Every structure is written in structure tokens, then in C-alpha cells.
Amino acid sequence: SQTIHQWPATLVQPVGSPLSLECTVEGTSNPNLYWYRQAAGRGLQLLFYSVGIGQISSEVPQNLSASRPQDRQFILSSKKLLLSDSGFYLCAWSTGTGETQYFGPGTRLLVL
Amino acid sequence: GQQLNQSPQSMFIQEGEDVSMNCTSSSIFNTWLWYKQDPGEGPVLLIALYKAGELTSNGRLTAQFGITRKDSFLNISASIPSDVGIYFCAGQYSGAGSYQLTFGKGTKLSVIP
């Protein structure tokens, strides 16, 4: 069966520091991968999605970037965090046809 | 862009009562999904609907894909305390190779024992 992992689970970072969140999927190959942000426990905002290694589509211009160095690895990064980057970050995967997305456990980021 | 209206925004019910929530869209979808999210965790898929008119059950949960393809509802029968959480609908239109889901803003369910 497929599983999706995210780490860290919780992160507290100062403003201006870099960020790297990691997501990995097991039990499937060539998945579509997604990064979402959820503010205040409601509403999921799609940030990035990837249909293959090195292929990244950005949905919202912002302070963040994403990379996919391996088939089942998706990384969310920032060079300098802003206070507004605080939130709950969710990674998800789907098959190539993309109808159904499955979410990871999430990373809670607090920027102080 | 596509928008989903999910209602109600929140609801408080007595344990044992039935629950109904729905989502409507300004445009058609090919897929409707319902998720539940517990505090501090990722959303968990409850039911997936792939065909207009489809009615699907998962235990005490029942969801339907509207005939017009612009709406879906989720019913929970005989609610129990562990039903507490936020329920999200999501729709996908797979035209033009799009993989994106459009999410509703969620229905926060509270169950009073």
C-alpha cells in the first residue's frame, strides 16, 4: 500500500531564516505531487504541483519554491522566511490521472 | 476560476443525530471528493465520486455526485463523538490536463455527547 511521509512534524523558525520541508511517497511510482498551505485550520491553498522529476508548476507567486529531485521526493523551500509563511503545510500525491489526492500528516510551521 | 461553496460553515449536533452538508460549484466537475480532517493532521479521504448521479456509502457516510455535476452532498447517520472534525469537499475538472482540486472552505462538525 502507499504511504506518504512529511517531516518535520513541527518547526519554529525565525524570520529571515531558510526553510526546507520534505515529503516522500512509498508504494507507488511516478506520482503527481502537491504542496498545499492551510491557514487557521481552514481552506487549502495549492502552492505547487509536479507531474515528474524536475517538473514544477507554481500556483501562487510567493516567497516559497519547490523541487523534485527524485521520483517520490518533493521539497518545499524558502531562502528567507516571512511571518506570513506561518501555517500548516500539507503534501499530497495522486496517480498520473490525478482524480484522487491523498494527503500526508502535515508540517506545522511557526515563523517568529 | 472555479469556486466551491460549502455549507454549513459549522454545525453543532447531538450524538445520534444525522448530519447533512453540501457543496455547490459555479462550473461542472468530473470528480467529487469528501475529506475529513482532525486537528493537527492531514485530511483523510472519506468518499470519492466519479460519475454524475453516483451514490456511494462508506459505513455511516453517504455521498452523492449531483446530476448537474455542479453539486455534491455528504450525509452522516447516527453521529458519534469521533465524527468531530472539519469536512472538506473537493472537485476536479480534468479537462485540458488539469490535475488541480478545488476545495470548499470546510464544515466544522461538533458533536455534543
Side-chain angles (χ1 to χ4, degrees):
Chain A
S1 64
Q2 300 86 7
T3 55
I4 179 169
H5 305 278
Q6 288 185 245
W7 64 89
T10 306
L11 191 60
V12 181
Q13 291 285 96
V15 170
S17 64
L19 173 74
S20 181
L21 303 182
E22 189 164 346
C23 170
T24 59
V25 180
E26 296 177 356
T28 186
S29 58
N30 198 30
N32 293 345
L33 296 172
Y34 310 82
W35 278 112
Y36 289 86
R37 177 167 55 202
Q38 187 177 35
R42 304 289 290 267
L44 286 84
Q45 179 187 36
L46 179 63
L47 302 175
F48 302 95
Y49 70 93
S50 171
V51 299
I53 295 174
Q55 300 178 63
I56 309 294
S57 296
S58 174
E59 291 302 306
V60 183
Q62 59 206 316
N63 185 42
L64 302 170
S65 62
S67 62
R68 185 169 176 175
Q70 300 181 46
D71 181 45
R72 288 168 288 179
Q73 183 185 31
F74 206 23
I75 297 172
L76 184 68
S77 304
S78 174
K79 292 182 179 178
K80 287 186 177 181
L81 283 168
L82 306 172
L83 286 174
S84 58
D85 291 325
S86 293
F88 192 47
Y89 288 84
L90 291 158
C91 181
W93 74 272
S94 70
T95 61
T97 51
E99 294 98 349
T100 308
Q101 293 180 20
Y102 301 92
F103 285 86
T107 294
R108 184 160 302 284
L109 172 65
L110 180 59
V111 182
L112 301 176
Chain B
Q2 296 171 322
Q3 294 185 1
L4 280 184
N5 294 313
Q6 184 170 352
S7 64
Q9 189 173 14
S10 63
M11 46 195 319
F12 291 81
I13 61 168
Q14 289 287 139
E15 182 177 357
E17 288 184 347
D18 297 343
V19 174
S20 184
M21 59 191 79
N22 68 84
C23 279
T24 58
S25 170
S26 57
S27 52
I28 63 173
F29 287 117
N30 295 340
T31 301
W32 281 97
L33 306 171
W34 285 93
Y35 292 88
K36 182 192 176 206
Q37 185 176 28
D38 292 329
E41 300 183 12
V44 174
L45 182 67
L46 299 174
I47 293 179
L49 303 160
Y50 302 108
K51 186 178 177 181
E54 180 180 356
L55 182 71
T56 297
S57 293
N58 178 8
R60 293 178 296 106
L61 278 62
T62 302
Q64 184 159 30
F65 192 142
I67 290 292
T68 66
R69 295 168 65 191
K70 293 184 178 181
D71 63 304
S72 178
F73 71 76
L74 174 70
N75 288 341
I76 305 173
S77 63
S79 59
I80 59 177
S82 62
D83 290 334
V84 166
I86 300 178
Y87 292 79
F88 291 97
C89 64
Q92 188 203 40
Y93 178 70
S94 55
S98 172
Y99 303 98
Q100 298 176 41
L101 291 180
T102 301
F103 282 86
K105 295 188 182 304
T107 295
K108 186 175 183 179
L109 178 64
S110 300
V111 179
I112 304 167

